Amino acid sequence: MLPADLLVTRTKKDRIYPVFAKLDAERLELAAEVGAVYKNFAGRKRSEIDEIFAEFEQEQGLNFKLVRGLRTLLERRCVFKSEFAVEPVLARRAVFEAASSASSGRVTSREAREEVVENVAARLGVSAADLERSLWSDLESEVVLADFTASSLTPEELLRSYNLSLAQTLLFKSTGMTLEFKSGFKEIFRAVKKNGLMYSPKGGGSGGKIKIRIEGASSLLKLSERYGTALAKLLPAVVRSDEWALDAEVVVRRDRTPQIYHFLLDSSRSKGLLTTSRESETKKEQPVFDSRVEEKFYNEFLATPAAESWELVREPNAIFTGKGVFLPDFKFKHKEAEGVEVYFEIVGFWTADYLRKKFSKLRALPFNILVALNSNLACFNLLNFDLDLGHPTILYTRKVPLGEVLWHLAKIETEETRRQVESLSSVEICLEGGIIFIKDLATRYKVGKEAVRACLKAPGYSDFVVFKEVVVKRGLLNEVEGRLAGVRLYAEARRVIEGLGLPNPDEVLAELGFKVRWKGLDPNAATIELN
């Protein structure tokens, strides 16, 4: 966004529009000149840069706000530093104390001033010139340009960024916004949630579009500045979608009288807005969390053994129900069992009205979802809320109990395995060869590996032994047992077993009744013996 005094708009009846910068040769040349100042003035004082831009503004006349807007965007990519030999506050204190203790008690001439400065510089171990530069180097006009991180930004990108910021600045004054879009809903709803915006569905728009209403900062009693910023931050996500349109009500004061105007913008009229950034194109997308509770749960789950079986997806997709749009916090997706997935919603601190709407959405979902509720909610009262959501519910205080979540996942996994085993009850699993990998059987019969293991333990498959990842014919195990006769070294036993094509020597040794005796950590020193 830009400062409010740099907002340039035009009005027509009840409509208000930002005055976007045209992407013509004149503006592109101006943007290039503004960018060149920061590219070429490294190490120069801010006061020197101010003088250059004062000339720019005089040349532009009434268009000076464009220069200031471009400068504002570029200075956000600048690093200004104070350069001094002596910390400025200490330097001033030392000079002022020396001046006040002079023989006359006053320093009224240039010669007397130079004498004071030279004496203080000698005492501080610096030159008089360095002390002079240090005295006021912390003032805003004296800081120097140390780094400029937007050197690769093209003039066109700068102008597009300015136009986007101009629209965002106007949205900051909005009392609300109606938004229609056809695609990109995942990113838009993620931005809505991330920025804490309040929205409500308004039914389907034209041409299969989604239509929602977002309340603006001016409609709230508190936190208007922070909420207005959040509303403006939504615009980049909207601009990146396809076939979108927005209608925002903007409050403008004319002669101290507030008037409401409509700011209309759509994808056909947004060609001059920056739709992405170089950083967003190269930076790998990382999970974004609404709270530390969500982030902590995510990281803790990834460290558990369950993460080997379940993929945890952050904000997987938007779900449309009769009660509105629902964007779950997480989705557990089983890595083996196709189609087995569980949504997970963490409900944190919200108002009572929001909580009632959230519960209404949860009850309307056509599938099961695991819900974690913060029992320390300021508005939470068991007498006021019906917790019969029709979904598994976990109450938490400071953190989501990971153990309870894992218990629910294990229960779902067990039920799915039982269902798959039942589906295979009338099927004879074909076992060809002495060594069969379980993952291949799971793929062939479209079930999970645990279901395959359970089915192969039936009496009809007694000629085979089921291990964790492979099924082995007993005849092959008998051959292994014969070859291990007289073998005492663990390393030699492994070579024998692996030489027969078995990938799991430790499991085979345990199945045949052998025990490994370790002597330190060296496997070459370990031996085997029958229990």
Side-chain angles (χ1 to χ4, degrees):
M1 290 199 311
L2 297 173
D5 60 340
L6 296 183
L7 178 62
V8 184
T9 61
R10 61 182 177 85
T11 57
K12 184 178 181 180
K13 296 183 180 180
D14 64 338
R15 306 288 176 84
I16 187 169
Y17 302 98
V19 179
F20 292 134
K22 296 179 180 179
L23 303 181
D24 55 17
E26 180 182 351
R27 271 74 173 185
L28 288 171
E29 182 180 356
L30 174 62
E33 291 176 351
V34 172
V37 172
Y38 292 99
K39 292 178 183 178
N40 301 324
F41 271 51
R44 306 285 283 272
K45 292 182 181 180
R46 184 189 286 273
S47 58
E48 297 178 70
I49 297 176
D50 289 342
E51 291 176 3
I52 296 295
F53 280 109
E55 296 179 8
F56 271 135
E57 291 181 12
Q58 287 181 355
E59 294 174 0
Q60 292 297 316
L62 296 177
N63 207 21
F64 72 93
K65 287 189 176 182
L66 173 58
V67 176
R68 293 184 183 180
L70 298 177
R71 183 183 180 185
T72 297
L73 296 178
L74 290 177
E75 289 214 347
R76 291 171 184 168
R77 310 281 192 95
C78 294
V79 178
F80 287 92
K81 292 183 178 179
S82 298
E83 291 187 350
F84 49 81
V86 181
E87 206 284 324
V89 175
L90 296 179
R92 289 194 291 270
R93 181 181 295 127
V95 170
F96 292 160
E97 289 177 351
S100 63
S101 61
S103 57
S104 63
R106 290 183 298 173
V107 178
T108 57
S109 66
R110 179 180 296 275
E111 292 76 13
R113 182 185 184 281
E114 291 177 352
E115 181 181 356
V116 170
V117 170
E118 290 176 357
N119 291 337
V120 173
R123 190 171 75 249
L124 295 177
V126 298
S127 67
D130 285 342
L131 181 59
E132 286 278 12
R133 282 193 296 269
S134 300
L135 281 173
W136 309 107
S137 61
D138 56 345
L139 296 182
E140 185 176 0
S141 61
E142 297 298 304
V143 295
V144 299
L145 178 59
D147 190 22
F148 179 55
T149 62
S151 57
S152 62
L153 194 70
T154 66
E156 182 177 338
E157 287 175 330
L158 178 56
L159 289 177
R160 289 180 182 275
S161 180
Y162 168 81
N163 289 340
L164 180 65
S165 298
L166 207 61
Q168 289 180 294
T169 306
L170 185 57
L171 282 178
F172 180 81
K173 302 174 179 290
S174 174
T175 62
M177 177 171 66
T178 301
L179 180 63
E180 284 190 26
F181 50 94
K182 192 170 185 178
S183 65
F185 58 84
K186 181 177 178 180
E187 184 181 3
I188 290 175
F189 282 113
R190 181 186 291 126
V192 167
K193 287 193 65 177
K194 177 184 176 182
N195 292 301
L197 296 168
M198 296 185 182
Y199 72 96
S200 57
K202 292 298 179 182
S206 59
K209 295 179 182 177
I210 301 165
K211 190 174 183 179
I212 61 174
R213 172 71 182 176
I214 300 176
E215 298 304 325
S218 299
S219 66
L220 304 178
L221 296 177
K222 297 187 296 183
L223 304 177
S224 60
E225 182 174 341
R226 186 170 67 183
Y227 198 87
T229 303
L231 187 64
K233 286 181 178 179
L234 177 63
L235 186 59
V238 174
V239 171
R240 283 192 290 269
S241 64
D242 296 324
E243 298 185 40
W244 57 270
L246 66 84
D247 180 358
E249 300 86 43
V250 177
V251 176
V252 178
R253 293 188 177 275
R254 305 287 189 190
D255 299 325
R256 297 184 179 182
T257 302
Q259 298 183 31
I260 295 181
Y261 291 87
H262 284 267
F263 170 33
L264 304 179
L265 188 65
D266 58 47
S267 50
S268 65
R269 291 180 288 174
S270 64
K271 305 302 181 184
L273 274 62
L274 186 67
T275 57
T276 186
S277 64
R278 294 177 181 266
E279 290 81 3
S280 64
E281 290 175 352
T282 58
K283 183 178 179 181
K284 184 178 178 181
E285 184 177 355
Q286 297 293 331
V288 178
F289 302 95
D290 300 330
S291 66
R292 294 187 64 182
V293 172
E294 291 180 0
E295 183 176 8
K296 189 172 184 179
F297 169 79
Y298 180 86
N299 293 326
E300 287 183 351
F301 177 82
L302 293 184
T304 66
E308 297 179 6
S309 302
W310 295 88
E311 178 187 2
L312 182 57
V313 183
R314 169 68 178 150
E315 292 182 341
N317 51 275
I319 300 168
F320 302 93
T321 71
K323 296 293 184 179
V325 183
F326 181 64
L327 187 65
D329 292 323
F330 298 100
K331 179 173 72 173
F332 296 100
K333 185 177 181 181
H334 203 279
K335 295 180 179 180
E336 293 181 6
E338 185 177 353
V340 178
E341 54 189 31
V342 184
Y343 289 96
F344 182 42
E345 178 73 6
I346 300 176
V347 181
F349 184 88
W350 284 100
T351 64
D353 184 57
Y354 174 87
L355 205 57
R356 289 188 180 92
K357 290 181 179 179
K358 172 75 78 172
F359 285 5
S360 177
K361 288 182 181 180
L362 292 174
R363 294 188 185 100
L365 292 177
F367 48 80
N368 282 337
I369 180 170
L370 181 61
V371 182
L373 290 172
N374 186 349
S375 59
N376 284 340
L377 290 173
C379 62
F380 190 83
N381 190 318
L382 291 175
L383 297 178
N384 297 333
F385 294 99
D386 178 13
L387 287 180
D388 185 16
L389 301 177
H391 304 286
T393 305
I394 298 172
L395 294 179
Y396 73 94
T397 51
R398 298 175 61 184
K399 58 176 288 188
V400 176
L402 185 60
E404 291 191 46
V405 176
L406 296 180
W407 181 85
H408 281 283
L409 293 179
K411 182 180 178 183
I412 292 170
E413 201 169 21
T414 301
E415 291 176 353
E416 178 62 20
T417 299
R418 179 185 56 78
R419 187 192 66 78
Q420 292 178 354
V421 170
E422 289 180 357
S423 69
L424 291 175
S425 59
S426 59
V427 177
E428 182 179 354
I429 298 178
C430 181
L431 300 176
E432 298 177 348
I435 304 171
I436 306 100
F437 283 88
I438 292 178
K439 67 177 181 180
D440 294 337
L441 296 173
T443 302
R444 184 191 306 171
Y445 294 99
K446 297 181 180 180
V447 295
K449 291 192 292 187
E450 193 59 40
V452 173
R453 296 188 192 100
C455 289
L456 293 179
K457 291 179 181 178
Y461 304 98
S462 57
D463 290 341
F464 291 85
V465 176
V466 182
F467 293 103
K468 182 178 180 181
E469 299 297 338
V470 294
V471 183
V472 181
K473 201 166 187 176
R474 287 194 181 274
L476 181 57
L477 290 178
N478 293 335
E479 182 181 349
V480 172
E481 187 174 20
R483 294 196 182 191
L484 291 179
V487 176
R488 291 291 176 265
L489 292 177
Y490 170 66
E492 184 181 352
R494 286 184 62 94
R495 286 194 293 271
V496 170
I497 296 170
E498 290 173 346
L500 292 172
L502 291 164
N504 54 336
D506 290 326
E507 282 186 304
V508 170
L509 287 172
E511 174 67 23
L512 296 177
F514 286 94
K515 183 176 181 180
V516 180
R517 292 205 175 271
W518 292 90
K519 297 179 181 179
L521 299 177
D522 185 6
N524 293 318
T527 59
I528 62 171
E529 62 181 35
L530 285 169
N531 287 332

